[in-house]
Amino acid sequence: MASERVPLVAGNWKMHKTEEEAEQYIQALLPRVSSVSGVDVAICVPFTDLRAMVDSARGSRVEVYAQNMHQEAQGAFTGEISAPMLAELAVHGVVLGHSERRELFAETDRALAQKVPVALAAGLKPILCVGETEEERDAGDTERKLRHQVGEDLAAVADAELGAVVIAYEPIWAIGTGRVATPEQAQEAIAFIRALIEARSAEAGAQVRILYGGSVKPENAAELLALPDIDGALVGGASLDAESFARIVGAAAA
Ligand code: PEP
């Protein structure tokens, strides 16, 4: 079954790159990934770069994702962006529940339970991020945390639609720290997440793509991406350089 899932390598720029810097990046990235096959590629960019990146990547294999989205279509939510606004720009998807949004901006599972189905209904592919803190891992609470996040955040997604969600397992202690989960830790957590989805729908469990995120670099990508349940990577720091990101994409290619 695993071979039927096309891996996805997504670069999360976080709050980096002005439009001018983004243009330079995409012009460097496109030729480097144009001939790779068997892998989907996405860049998750700041709102202000979305229109330019959708235009510049049009017709290429690179998809453009936003990094957050509000669950309501419109309203008195100063500073927020809605699914119809993203869809009108022809953005392909959206990262939801990144640990930085959860920790720094009070993103809740309750909001995510609304955001994921709203994104799907708008034709946006959601990448739902889940993962435990170092304290939770040390306390043996990793599975409890993952069960809670996957259960709550996907509660309102119909079983038939679960396979269209991308889940990123991102142990918080590995994000931006240079500490990478061991292949065993990553495989174990991701297989556990897949089993949670399988418990709802065997078909969705086989379809759902589950990425690893946390200090993925060109040097460690191949080992992580070779693991049976890992269907790609969500890459932060190493995605900011087009050459380095393209090497990670190459590691996932068929
Ligand atoms: C991330 O931002 O989702 C991430 C995994 O960051 P990094 O690759 O820098 O650890």
Side-chain angles (χ1 to χ4, degrees):
M1 253 326 169
S3 60
E4 289 172 19
R5 297 189 298 267
V6 177
L8 168 65
V9 176
N12 174 21
W13 290 1
K14 312 194 186 197
M15 195 175 71
H16 291 282
K17 299 195 190 296
T18 64
E19 193 178 291
E20 194 179 327
E21 291 164 345
E23 277 298 349
Q24 286 171 6
Y25 177 100
I26 195 77
Q27 297 315 328
L29 181 67
L30 291 178
R32 287 176 165 83
V33 297
S34 62
S35 59
V36 294
S37 61
V39 55
D40 291 342
V41 183
I43 49 174
C44 313
V45 310
F47 292 130
T48 48
D49 294 334
L50 285 171
R51 183 186 292 277
M53 291 304 95
V54 167
D55 284 347
S56 296
R58 189 170 286 117
S60 81
R61 64 183 310 107
V62 177
E63 296 197 334
V64 178
Y65 283 44
Q67 298 175 6
N68 183 32
M69 180 201 85
H70 197 273
Q71 60 270 33
E72 297 295 335
Q74 59 190 20
F77 302 104
T78 301
E80 293 291 323
I81 301 285
S82 72
M85 294 171 183
L86 298 177
E88 192 181 73
L89 284 182
V91 165
H92 299 93
V94 59
V95 179
L96 295 174
H98 190 278
S99 61
E100 287 153 16
R101 300 255 17 125
R102 292 177 188 261
E103 291 200 329
L104 304 175
F105 302 99
E107 178 82 281
T108 62
D109 290 308
R110 179 187 284 235
L112 288 164
Q114 296 180 302
K115 289 185 180 194
V116 180
V118 163
L120 288 167
L124 298 164
K125 300 177 202 171
I127 300 180
L128 173 69
C129 301
V130 297
E132 81 286 0
T133 63
E134 185 162 27
E135 295 70 36
E136 287 164 336
R137 176 160 283 272
D138 290 347
D141 272 347
T142 299
E143 293 192 350
R144 185 199 55 76
K145 177 74 173 292
L146 295 176
R147 185 183 294 107
H148 174 80
Q149 290 183 322
V150 170
E152 290 245 331
D153 302 353
L154 298 179
V157 177
D159 288 356
E161 286 204 281
L162 274 178
V165 176
V166 176
I167 300 174
Y169 168 62
E170 299 208 307
I172 295 169
W173 46 271
I175 296 179
T177 58
R179 284 178 63 195
V180 193
T182 65
E184 294 72 27
Q185 287 170 327
Q187 167 60 28
E188 189 181 34
I190 288 178
F192 178 75
I193 293 169
R194 190 174 305 288
L196 293 172
I197 303 297
E198 267 165 4
R200 286 187 53 182
S201 155
E203 198 182 345
Q207 281 174 350
V208 70
R209 290 188 292 182
I210 310 180
L211 316 183
Y212 168 77
S215 298
V216 175
K217 304 273 181 276
E219 298 73 28
N220 59 27
E223 186 181 23
L224 289 160
L225 293 168
L227 295 165
D229 276 291
I230 297 190
D231 305 315
L234 183 55
V235 185
S239 75
L240 290 174
D241 175 70
E243 169 70 32
S244 144
F245 185 55
R247 284 174 61 201
I248 297 171
V249 171

